[in-house]
Amino acid sequence: MTGRDSTTEGNPPVYLDYQATTPVDPRVLEAMLPYFNEKFGNPHSVSHAYGWEAEAAVEKARRQIADLIGADDKEIVFTSGATEANNLAIKGVAHFYRQKRNHVVTVATEHKCVIESCRRLEREGFALTWLPVGPDGLLDLDALRDTVTDRTVLVSIMAANNEIGVIQPLAEIGAICRERGAFFHTDVAQAVGKFALDVDGMKIDLLSISGHKIYAPKGVGALYIRRRPRVRIEPMMDGGGQERGFRSGTVATQLAVGLGEASAICGREMADEDARLGRLRDKLHVGITAGLGDVLLNGSKEVRLSNNLNVSFLGVDAEALITNLKDLAISTGSACTSASVEPSYVLQALGLGDERARASVRFAVGRPTTDAEIDYAIERVVAEVSKLRAGTSKPVAATR
Ligand SMILES: *Cc1c(COP(=O)(O)O)cnc(C)c1O
């Protein structure tokens, strides 16, 4: 065997859940460290050098993030993560323009925080359209064209899906929205740093980023808010008016620095990393399907992230498989909903049916993933799926 032996006592499981979260890149951590104590100033203190030093660091980070998406640094607002950015964008725009337009469009396969923000708007009296996706997980642009009108204030459609990795046609969506005067918000938590995004070219008006999906810490994110043509939003937080009034509260200098450095690294390394991760992901896919029959890919084969593999092992209960594969850190899809026994709503939206949805597992490779880890994962997945199918798997005590 070429892979590491994680079954040996004391070895941590092979981590293949990089769409749930990523470790902080050592270069990111190094950039952050001085801002915990040595350079501890409040970035909003204007009367002394401690404040100026912290402010300079925050502004550098803002530029680094803006550069990654083709934005102006004044258009970046720091938040606590993509959840906050999505809430702020969706509810903020809808509330600000509610007298003029009251229709919001989104897609059935969005992240929970987008879905729940939209549900709240629906309860408040907004008209919501929940667009379906095809069996490949992709949006039908004609359906979007038919639904966006001069009553539509906002269209919120994610760039890349967190469970199945499919990539929506952002530029086409942006063009449709701009033509009808509706704002286009996109959650790029899974997409930014993976492939090139350009807010002008794609006609994006608002865009949400999460730090911990791109090797920055948890608890930081950013919202891009277009200045020309101007997008206005109602803030959620009242206070000192930081972040151009969009998000009161002291900016966490060290977290902002981390997100900035992580963005700069992505900008430099994205193309090479995409190719390397695609090769590892394909190797995993090929290895698994060479060793096992009845493994079906979920979501479009062509239009997807290079690091995602979501497959159904027909006849196998994914929960049982994951329990038996304690030496691999993998999941059925969403960390946010994995406590529930319901099959994934994303897979259901593809029309896959309960049984296939319950047989599905998400693998996601990341920056630290090695060939040896993939070799090991292939061997273990093939072995445990075979055992479950043959009914020879020994019951393992559940860990949760
Ligand atoms: C992780 C994730 C979020 C939530 O981001 P947080 O920074 O954890 O709040 C939102 N949307 C998508 C698509 C994600 O993958």
Side-chain angles (χ1 to χ4, degrees), residues 165-382:
V166 303
I167 299 168
Q168 302 293 357
L170 297 184
E172 288 81 357
I173 297 167
I176 293 169
C177 295
R178 189 64 60 84
E179 193 186 299
R180 316 276 157 94
F183 294 119
F184 174 29
H185 166 250
T186 182
D187 173 355
V188 303
Q190 296 289 346
V192 72
K194 305 267 187 3
F195 57 89
L197 292 169
D198 173 17
V199 290
D200 287 337
M202 295 170 161
K203 299 188 166 59
I204 294 165
D205 297 305
L206 302 117
L207 170 154
S208 304
I209 294 175
S210 171
H212 71 101
K213 307 290 171 65
I214 60 166
Y215 309 93
K218 295 160 188 65
V220 66
L223 177 63
Y224 158 80
I225 308 175
R226 175 173 291 284
R227 271 160 58 98
R228 269 185 293 270
R230 186 173 177 201
V231 181
R232 308 188 65 179
I233 64 172
E234 191 178 286
M236 296 198 298
M237 213 80 89
D238 295 311
Q242 290 92 345
E243 297 299 273
R244 295 176 27 246
F246 290 129
R247 209 279 194 172
S248 283
T250 306
V251 170
T253 314
Q254 68 278 43
L255 297 180
V257 166
L259 183 54
E261 187 62 27
S263 300
I265 293 170
C266 284
R268 287 196 304 270
E269 301 182 357
M270 184 156 65
D272 289 344
E273 184 160 275
D274 191 65
R276 195 183 76 88
L277 295 186
R279 185 184 63 74
L280 289 169
R281 188 273 314 275
D282 290 345
K283 174 176 171 170
L284 178 63
H285 192 191
V286 167
I288 288 173
T289 48
L292 294 166
D294 287 335
V295 179
L296 300 182
L297 180 70
N298 297 320
S300 166
K301 183 164 174 22
E302 293 80 29
V303 196
R304 65 190 301 124
L305 293 173
S306 61
N307 71 328
N308 167 284
L309 178 67
N310 189 312
V311 286
S312 295
F313 298 100
L314 298 190
V316 171
D317 175 34
E319 293 291 344
L321 179 61
I322 289 169
T323 304
N324 291 1
L325 283 170
K326 281 200 177 52
D327 45 345
L328 302 184
I330 50 178
S331 72
T332 54
S334 169
C336 323
T337 48
S338 56
S340 75
V341 290
E342 289 296 304
S344 148
Y345 66 89
V346 172
L347 296 178
Q348 285 182 322
L350 269 55
L352 291 188
D354 249 35
E355 183 137 355
R356 183 164 160 193
R358 286 184 199 281
S360 75
V361 176
R362 177 186 69 183
F363 301 86
V365 296
R367 195 170 284 166
T369 304
T370 63
D371 272 286
E373 288 181 323
I374 296 299
D375 291 332
Y376 181 74
I378 292 168
E379 186 187 307
R380 292 288 299 127
V381 168
V382 169

Side-chain angles (χ1 to χ4, degrees), residues 81-83 86 111 113 158 162 187 189-190 210 212-213:
T83 298
N86 285 337
H111 191 271
C113 60
M158 70 196 331
N162 45 301
D187 173 355
Q190 296 289 346
S210 171
H212 71 101
K213 307 290 171 65

Side-chain angles (χ1 to χ4, degrees), residues 28 31-33 35 54 57-58 61 64 78 252-262:
V28 170
M32 290 171 62
L33 284 175
Y35 296 94
V58 168
Q64 290 171 314
F78 285 104
T253 314
Q254 68 278 43
L255 297 180
V257 166
L259 183 54
E261 187 62 27

